[in-house]
Amino acid sequence: MSLPPGTKLGPYEIISAAGAGGMGEVYKARDTKLKRDVAIKVLPDEFASDSKRLARFKHEAQTLASLNHPNIAQIYGVEESNDVHALVMELVIGDDLSQRMGRGAVTLKEALPIAKQIAFALEASHAKGIIHRDLKPGNIKVCADGTVKVLDFGLAKTMISANAMSANAANSSTVSFATQEGVIVGTAAYMSPEQATGDPVDERSDLWAFGVVLLEMLSGKPVFTGETVSHVFASILTSQPDWTLPTNTPPVIRNLLRRCLEKDRKQRHDSAALARIEIEEALTAPSGDAMGVTEPRSSWSRALPWVLTGTLGIALFTVYLLWPPKPEQAKLTRVTLALSSANSLTIGGGTAISPDGRTVVFVARAISGTSIYVRKLDELEPRALPLTDGARGPFFSPDGRWIAFLRRDNLEKMPISGGPAQIVCQRRSVSGGRWRPDGMIIFGQWPDAGLWQVSSDGGEPRLISKPSGGNGVQRYRTPEPLPGDKGIVFTIFQEGRNSIAVLAPGSDKPRIIIESGSHPRYLSTGHLLYIADNHLFAVAFDVEHLQVRGTATVVVDDVNNGTADYDVSANGTLVYMTSTSPTAYNIVWKDRHGVSAPIVTQHRPYGSLVLSPDGEHFSVSISDGSSQNIWTGGIANQPLTRLTFGNDDYFGLWSRDGKRLFYTAGQNGSYNIFAIPTDGSGKAERVTQSPDPQKATSISPNGDTLLLNDIVTSTGEDIWELSLSRKESKPLIRTQFNEGAAVFSPDGHWIAYESDESGQVEIYVVAYPGPGSKRRVSLDGGTLPLWGHTGRELFYQTDSAMFAIPILDRNNLRLGTPVRLFAQTNSSTASISLNDQRFLMLERVEANKSFTRLNLVENWFEDLKTRVPTK
């Protein structure tokens, strides 16, 4: 189907044809709503008329839309209009790599940065379980500024076509055909051996295609050729590539190519991240090492330095006397800080560096719990600050003598040398804070919106600015004061996305200056730093006119989006935590002795694991670093299936009949409860409407009443009940303390919950619907209560062990003494089996020490000014 200029597809207006590909005609179009140009890929009629393939395509497009990465062309959505089915994508301007390679071999200096960005794109997609399947030069765009964009991620498997294979097989479009083993999808010359034989593909298939592309760039000729597709396949399966490469190709690149092009994928490179690191090693190595062989010199060129030595020596001595050398520039130094000799700390709660760049603080979890640790650069190991258990988000005072942090919803401060903590203000859930030279601390507040300030000596906070739309629309976070009282830059969280705004002095109306980003930091070099898509960006910033200048540049590849694990000292030392290895878990059964039996052994950043009422299925949230969604699986090691497609979806809770899942979703600036069919057959429906964050924790035996956690500033975390039939909610337990994790007993007559009213979190039980007084039932701390299905026990856990409380009398709930079942420090309880003999748990993978390194770069300002000019 051809679309002439001016054709309307929903809000999109066709401008011109832009080409054709294996998945249909491509057009340049204008988004009339957002006022931007996009690429429109119109699906072929034979594809769009197949309901099964079209449904599969839409599902894949939803998954691929989550790939938000600077080296991947973004998918904006699917448009259906006037019987036309189209994919709306980012419009990428530039030649594709096949056009560049058509002009001859790509030099090593040009090829390696291109290959690094391709590997970076594969690394991001593989982290989300998405395989490209059709990586080739025609799917790789090289923009004028050198940025690489990889196109058509994962769509090849949905584009199965019956087209005949081209006689020019090596350069054919994406081809696919049925085999007895399955379906072959890909472009012949770049297919892996397993694709050529119809076997299942995985990340290693992409690494093969990556190796072919890199080898073709450097050699200037095709790797696998043939007159027909069959001949090409025969070459892939039986022939070895021509390894003739430029003489200056580094050994690390030669080895990388050989590992990528191993025909036996068990021997093949399996990590795009490792490939990227090896390319970076070649790019950053000294020239003699990076570029391998040095060209031989003639006898005259070898003798010439000796002939000129006398003359040059006299001249240089004269120059030295007349123009003494400038002081040597401070050397850029990159180091990794050792955290502990036992390597037992798991980081992820914020980090900060003192103004003089000599002391780093960070939040980490050890066996004893979470605390703030201090690491001085002249000491070998960090030390834990006493009485900082549960703290997060630390930041320094301007003189470096104090740190402030959030703990138990209080903003506190403590001398860096140690000593008792002092409360600055209470019941304020701080979302990022900074300590100004005048002694004031400015901070965002959650769940309340707005920017606030309070004296570091204590007192009542004062509101600086608050969104006009109320708490449910926008939230202000992570403020950064500009020097000389020029204003404040900060993060605006709205509709599941972050942007950066500036608030001018005397104004209460901020102005957005960066559309996608968070956690800004202003530097004396004239740069603004911020985080987006797990990268640290730098851009020139005019502090006088409060305007961004020029284009932002990635200065650190991997930084944790969620907790802003980076900071910069006043003298130019950068500290940051990488985020390439989020905490990984297995899904396991644990018996009453603590012995584990795996259910799902694929290590991933799982969370909020819940067993279904029939005991045969479970739901679990999976984070990819930039978003979190809910998946479902079976305890018989069935494949996981994605259920939600939002940005922040978690805390699943099954309905009593197992047909719906209640969960928390972040939408329109609020976190409320939604429900979705567990078989994936319908859309999610909103259950609650509240400006306060909420999550469902339990459902009554009759399936009508939900217990909720509701978070407000005035009283903290409270327990509410919601009638699903009447659609009415009301507070059930609301005090000045934090209460949560409430669960119904099997008969619905009792509720167990946790509260911090005693100074630490303990488990309490109260009659439902009452009346009756509450009873504390845990011994020395306790969280996450669980009622046994048989009605004989109540379970809870601490940081170090699992406990069971015998129920001696069910009617009057007479309880025995808690009994310790097993030690556990690396797992969290989700549910209990129907016979009360096993616990479904997330077990942290000990081999994966996530966030166990601090990266530190000294004298970083000079490097930054070179890479990102401010003028």
Side-chain angles (χ1 to χ4, degrees):
M1 176 183 294
S2 178
L3 300 180
T7 302
K8 297 289 186 63
L9 295 178
Y12 306 102
E13 182 176 351
I14 300 298
I15 297 175
S16 62
M23 61 177 294
E25 299 290 336
V26 184
Y27 297 88
K28 179 180 179 181
R30 182 68 174 175
D31 185 336
T32 58
K33 286 187 176 180
L34 299 180
K35 308 301 181 184
R36 63 180 177 183
D37 290 338
V38 298
I40 298 284
K41 294 194 175 186
V42 178
L43 306 185
D45 291 339
E46 66 272 18
F47 181 88
S49 61
D50 188 325
S51 59
K52 291 184 178 180
R53 287 197 294 176
L54 187 60
R56 183 180 178 186
F57 168 78
K58 292 178 180 178
H59 180 77
E60 286 297 318
Q62 286 180 317
T63 301
L64 297 172
S66 66
L67 283 177
N68 189 3
H69 189 273
N71 296 122
I72 297 176
Q74 180 71 40
I75 293 180
Y76 296 144
V78 176
E79 183 64 31
E80 300 175 4
S81 179
N82 300 323
D83 296 325
V84 175
H85 298 269
L87 186 69
V88 185
M89 301 183 65
E90 174 186 0
L91 180 65
V92 183
I93 305 299
D95 290 343
D96 64 48
L97 190 54
S98 65
Q99 294 171 303
R100 169 59 189 89
M101 292 164 62
R103 297 192 289 269
V106 184
T107 65
L108 189 69
K109 184 177 180 181
E110 183 182 359
L112 292 188
I114 292 174
K116 174 188 172 182
Q117 294 178 75
I118 298 171
F120 206 0
L122 292 176
E123 179 184 350
S125 73
H126 292 173
K128 294 193 175 186
I130 297 174
I131 313 302
H132 193 293
R133 291 176 172 82
D134 194 22
L135 185 68
K136 59 184 178 181
N139 279 337
I140 301 167
K141 285 270 192 175
V142 183
C143 304
D145 64 355
T147 300
V148 171
K149 293 278 188 178
V150 182
L151 314 177
D152 291 349
F153 255 97
L155 289 172
K157 72 176 181 178
T158 70
M159 302 305 299
I160 299 173
S161 172
N163 293 339
M165 288 170 284
S166 169
N168 185 11
N171 298 312
S172 65
S173 299
T174 300
V175 297
S176 57
F177 54 90
T179 71
Q180 291 181 348
E181 301 298 328
V183 174
I184 293 176
V185 182
T187 301
Y190 303 91
M191 282 187 180
S192 63
E194 56 271 18
Q195 284 175 290
T197 56
D199 291 328
V201 302
D202 57 22
E203 291 89 345
R204 294 168 293 184
S205 305
D206 282 350
L207 267 295
W208 171 281
F210 170 78
V212 176
V213 171
L214 178 54
L215 183 53
E216 284 194 6
M217 278 198 290
L218 296 177
S219 65
K221 57 186 178 183
V223 179
F224 300 105
T225 60
E227 296 179 359
T228 67
V229 170
S230 297
H231 287 91
V232 175
F233 285 171
S235 176
I236 292 171
L237 294 171
T238 62
S239 301
Q240 285 296 322
D242 181 354
W243 296 110
T244 303
L245 291 166
T247 56
N248 63 342
T249 304
V252 66
I253 299 300
R254 295 175 184 270
N255 292 335
L256 170 62
L257 287 169
R258 291 183 181 274
R259 286 196 294 268
C260 285
L261 295 179
E262 284 282 355
K263 297 185 188 300
D264 182 358
R265 58 174 155 181
K266 293 180 181 178
Q267 306 299 320
R268 193 183 308 155
H269 225 325
D270 64 353
S271 170
L274 185 56
R276 172 180 58 81
I277 291 170
E278 290 171 336
I279 295 170
E280 290 174 344
E281 179 183 337
L283 287 169
T284 58
S287 59
D289 296 333
M291 299 308 163
V293 179
T294 305
E295 295 295 325
R297 296 183 295 169
S298 67
S299 58
W300 169 245
S301 65
R302 290 194 299 269
L304 182 60
W306 297 99
V307 174
L308 298 177
T309 296
T311 304
L312 289 176
I314 295 172
L316 290 173
F317 182 70
T318 303
V319 170
Y320 180 84
L321 293 177
L322 295 176
W323 293 284
K326 295 180 180 180
E328 183 178 352
Q329 181 176 313
K331 184 179 179 181
L332 184 72
T333 304
R334 301 177 186 271
V335 297
T336 298
L337 299 181
L339 297 187
S340 69
S341 57
N343 197 28
S344 59
L345 300 180
T346 301
I347 308 175
T351 187
I353 189 168
S354 59
D356 63 4
R358 305 307 302 166
T359 304
V360 176
V361 297
F362 57 90
V363 177
R365 175 178 292 277
I367 293 177
S368 58
T370 300
S371 299
I372 293 179
Y373 287 76
V374 178
R375 172 68 156 84
K376 291 184 177 294
L377 299 191
D378 57 359
E379 296 177 350
L380 292 177
E381 294 206 1
R383 58 180 173 86
L385 277 180
L387 304 177
T388 59
D389 55 296
R392 59 183 174 86
F395 53 96
F396 274 92
S397 63
D399 60 9
R401 298 172 56 192
W402 294 78
I403 56 169
F405 51 87
L406 176 68
R407 187 171 66 133
R408 296 172 183 166
D409 286 343
N410 295 330
L411 179 61
E412 303 182 12
K413 67 176 184 178
M414 174 183 286
I416 193 65
S417 57
Q422 302 175 23
I423 295 178
V424 177
C425 57
Q426 293 180 306
R427 315 307 298 174
R428 299 282 178 170
S429 188
V430 174
S431 181
R434 300 296 275 178
W435 198 321
R436 297 194 315 200
D438 63 1
M440 301 299 292
I441 294 176
I442 61 173
F443 59 92
Q445 186 168 288
W446 191 87
D448 278 3
L451 298 179
W452 301 73
Q453 70 175 12
V454 64
S455 170
S456 57
D457 294 329
E460 187 65 25
R462 180 178 68 85
L463 180 66
I464 300 175
S465 176
K466 190 171 186 177
S468 58
N471 293 355
V473 179
Q474 291 183 342
R475 303 187 194 282
Y476 293 172
R477 301 176 175 176
T478 62
E480 168 80 352
L482 297 172
D485 293 328
K486 297 293 178 60
I488 302 171
V489 289
F490 60 95
T491 303
I492 294 181
F493 180 86
Q494 182 177 13
E495 296 182 355
R497 59 186 292 268
N498 292 319
S499 56
I500 295 176
V502 63
L503 185 69
S507 172
D508 61 356
K509 295 181 179 180
R511 173 172 52 87
I512 293 179
I513 55 175
I514 296 174
E515 291 291 340
S516 180
S518 66
H519 301 90
R521 294 284 185 270
Y522 178 77
L523 306 182
S524 60
T525 57
H527 294 93
L528 190 68
L529 300 183
Y530 64 94
I531 292 177
D533 300 324
N534 289 101
H535 310 303
L536 183 62
F537 285 81
V539 66
F541 185 74
D542 184 344
V543 73
E544 296 296 331
H545 299 91
L546 303 180
Q547 292 180 347
V548 169
R549 303 290 190 188
T551 303
T553 300
V554 175
V555 291
V556 175
D557 283 335
D558 299 298
V559 177
N560 185 16
N561 267 17
T563 52
D565 288 329
Y566 86 95
D567 199 11
V568 186
S569 68
N571 63 356
T573 298
L574 168 69
V575 62
Y576 65 95
M577 300 176 193
T578 54
S579 61
T580 54
S581 299
T583 303
Y585 297 89
N586 287 334
I587 299 176
V588 302
W589 282 117
K590 278 197 174 186
D591 65 19
R592 296 173 73 96
H593 302 289
V595 178
S596 297
I599 295 177
V600 177
T601 56
Q602 182 183 9
H603 306 159
R604 299 184 72 173
Y606 299 119
S608 55
L609 175 66
V610 180
L611 189 66
S612 64
D614 62 6
E616 298 296 327
H617 303 86
F618 62 84
S619 65
V620 65
S621 64
I622 302 179
S623 171
D624 59 20
S626 60
S627 64
Q628 186 167 228
N629 282 278
I630 295 177
W631 299 59
T632 58
I635 63 171
N637 199 18
Q638 299 170 2
L640 294 178
T641 301
R642 186 169 177 177
L643 187 63
T644 69
F645 294 86
N647 287 320
D648 294 296
D649 299 339
Y650 42 90
F651 299 133
L653 176 68
W654 296 74
S655 62
R656 284 294 177 179
D657 60 8
K659 294 181 179 181
R660 291 200 299 168
L661 190 81
F662 300 95
Y663 67 98
T664 296
Q667 293 190 14
N668 300 321
S670 63
Y671 287 82
N672 284 177
I673 297 170
F674 291 71
I676 189 170
T678 54
D679 62 2
S681 62
K683 295 182 179 180
E685 298 180 359
R686 190 164 194 149
V687 177
T688 63
Q689 292 273 1
S690 173
D692 307 325
Q694 298 175 321
K695 68 176 180 180
T697 61
S698 185
I699 190 165
S700 60
N702 65 6
D704 182 64
T705 302
L706 284 180
L707 296 181
L708 315 178
N709 275 22
D710 187 277
I711 305 174
V712 294
T713 302
S714 57
T715 58
E717 196 169 358
D718 302 321
I719 298 171
W720 285 57
E721 58 179 326
L722 166 67
S723 170
L724 297 175
S725 59
R726 299 191 305 272
K727 296 183 180 180
E728 296 176 355
S729 62
K730 61 181 180 180
L732 183 63
I733 304 175
R734 181 169 60 181
T735 72
Q736 60 179 315
F737 304 103
N738 290 311
E739 302 91 12
V743 287
F744 280 109
S745 62
D747 59 11
H749 295 158
W750 306 91
I751 289 175
Y753 67 98
E754 59 184 45
S755 171
D756 64 359
E757 64 182 72
S758 68
Q760 68 175 344
V761 180
E762 301 280 1
I763 302 299
Y764 295 81
V765 173
V766 66
Y768 180 83
S773 59
K774 65 178 182 292
R775 285 180 281 169
R776 173 179 155 182
V777 298
S778 55
L779 290 177
D780 185 18
T783 62
L784 303 176
L786 279 174
W787 294 95
H789 295 282
T790 63
R792 298 188 183 98
E793 291 171 297
L794 172 64
F795 303 89
Y796 69 91
Q797 67 185 84
T798 66
D799 287 341
S800 60
M802 175 68 67
F803 289 84
I805 306 176
I807 299 177
L808 306 178
D809 182 346
R810 300 182 196 178
N811 295 327
N812 299 306
L813 201 66
R814 188 163 57 89
L815 303 177
T817 302
V819 177
R820 184 177 182 272
L821 296 182
F822 57 85
Q824 62 94 14
T825 58
N826 65 341
S827 55
S828 60
T829 302
S831 302
I832 191 167
S833 64
L834 300 186
N835 63 1
D836 294 351
Q837 297 303 304
R838 298 188 300 176
F839 300 89
L840 187 66
M841 308 184 80
L842 296 177
E843 185 172 59
R844 192 166 63 248
V845 180
E846 287 301 317
N848 183 347
K849 295 295 184 180
S850 59
F851 302 119
T852 53
R853 297 183 188 177
L854 280 173
N855 306 291
L856 188 135
V857 186
E858 294 184 300
N859 306 312
W860 183 62
F861 278 176
E862 293 304 317
D863 178 65
L864 175 64
K865 287 185 286 187
T866 301
R867 297 173 63 185
V868 190
T870 57
K871 294 183 180 180

